Amino acid sequence: MTERRRAVIAGWNGFIGHRLVEDLTARGYDVARVGRTGPDGTWSDPASIMRLVDGADLVVNLAGKSVGCRYTDRNRDEILRSRVDTTRQLREAIAAATAPPPLWMNASTATIYRYALDRPQTESDGELGEGFSVDVARSWEDELFAGDLPGTRRVALRMAIVLGGPASDLLARVARLGLGGSHRDGWWFQHRRYRGIGAHPTGGPVPIHHSHGRQRFSWIHIDDVLSSMRFIQEHPELEGAVNLSAPNPSDDRTLMAELRRVVGMPVGLPATRWMLEPAMWVLRNESELLLKSRWVLPERLESAGFEFAWPDIRPALRDTVGT
């Protein structure tokens, strides 16, 4: 009998992790799950992680506190710590393994790139940004690629906003509240929630970008997240940073118009920052989700021949939010 392949999934209990466990199980993998409470390995028991990683065929790390929260000092620290510490623990386990996994995919974020209205950001010529979210992503990837792991291919999954989970649910709630018009940056009280963090913090005061609702919105359907991860497994030339983002980004105006159609809200009040900030406070989230211009393209995936099942925003929203 052929021995079943083994995958180790850290941070399996989020919506992407649940779908990934289902996908890998259907593909014939024995899946070991690592989290704060296991069930197969826990962060408080490094020996359990070392045991699982040694001889595994695949390691995927999705661990990290959700960014769907207010950026209080406590939440900021935990968002950074939960990503860097778990990545370091996996890296040390892989370095100590007798039979290290040939592939380690680690979550990252397309928010690592700067606010962009002038041109799209790709892996080859994208420019990194500044501030809290970018510093978290930098520290996360620095930990992933630290040290020498000659037997393991490492890939940072720079994911755009994933449709089918909490982020798209939040956008739909904003539309249902009647704030489904364009979102426009403007004056608001200065605060320090977006200040830099980590060993080398970047950024200053909260910038104001007068994009008039034309800020770009890069996204990816959850189905394409899973299929792109399968594709990366099958293409050993893909290592380093890989953008997971649909090839046809939207902009804020178009996104919200499509969301209004999907949720059946005939009107959508355009929201400037002074209107949006109180609403996001009620929703316990940050306006950065709607006001930052994320213009990211999947250059490396497309160059390698990957084909997206959901390249366009309208059917993707109907499938994820309209169900």
Side-chain angles (χ1 to χ4, degrees), residues 69-307:
C69 62
R70 298 293 286 179
Y71 292 168
T72 63
D73 285 352
R74 181 176 180 179
N75 285 341
R76 281 166 42 91
D77 290 344
E78 182 60 15
I79 286 170
L80 177 65
R81 186 209 63 78
S82 61
R83 285 160 172 75
V84 173
D85 287 1
T86 55
T87 302
R88 179 183 302 117
Q89 199 164 333
L90 284 170
R91 180 172 55 78
E92 291 173 349
I94 292 172
T98 302
L103 175 59
W104 173 18
M105 291 187 280
N106 209 80
S108 183
T109 173
T111 300
I112 197 170
Y113 297 110
R114 66 171 173 84
Y115 185 107
L117 284 174
D118 55 332
R119 66 176 181 85
Q121 306 293 295
T122 68
E123 299 94 337
S124 63
D125 65 0
E127 300 170 280
L128 304 191
E130 294 184 335
F132 171 67
S133 297
V134 173
D135 287 351
V136 168
R138 286 175 184 263
S139 299
W140 206 358
E141 291 192 6
D142 285 347
E143 193 62 53
L144 167 64
F145 294 117
D148 187 24
L149 298 178
T152 301
R153 175 165 56 109
R154 288 176 277 185
V155 178
L157 305 172
R158 289 182 175 174
M159 287 186 236
I161 293 172
V162 181
L163 302 186
S168 51
D169 290 346
L170 175 64
L171 291 169
R173 290 176 67 191
V174 170
R176 291 187 181 100
L177 286 173
L179 297 176
S182 60
H183 301 105
R184 306 181 182 190
D185 208 347
W187 179 85
W188 186 247
F189 301 101
Q190 279 296 320
H191 60 77
R192 302 183 67 241
R193 297 194 305 277
Y194 296 171
R195 70 189 184 279
I197 196 171
H200 304 286
T202 64
V206 179
I208 297 174
H209 300 279
H210 296 289
S211 56
H212 306 290
R214 290 300 185 189
Q215 61 268 29
R216 307 292 293 194
F217 180 82
S218 289
W219 58 277
I220 185 169
H221 191 291
I222 180 61
D223 290 351
D224 283 327
V225 171
L226 299 176
S227 58
S228 63
M229 293 171 76
R230 292 195 296 270
F231 186 85
I232 289 169
Q233 281 187 267
E234 297 162 359
H235 287 75
E237 74 275 16
L238 291 173
E239 60 182 341
V242 177
N243 291 344
L244 270 56
S245 179
N248 299 317
S250 179
D251 63 17
D252 181 74
R253 288 185 181 184
T254 304
L255 166 72
M256 298 314 294
E258 296 296 346
L259 273 172
R260 291 197 303 273
R261 294 187 183 96
V262 170
V263 304
M265 174 59 73
V267 297
L269 187 67
T272 54
R273 184 185 280 269
W274 68 266
M275 299 165 64
L276 186 61
E277 288 285 356
M280 297 303 277
W281 180 83
V282 170
L283 294 171
R284 307 311 300 160
N285 221 293
E286 292 287 350
S287 61
E288 180 183 52
L289 173 68
L290 295 170
L291 294 178
K292 180 172 180 178
S293 186
R294 299 174 178 86
W295 192 356
V296 181
L297 293 181
E299 178 183 66
R300 296 193 66 196
L301 280 176
E302 290 198 305
S303 295
F306 180 74
E307 295 184 5

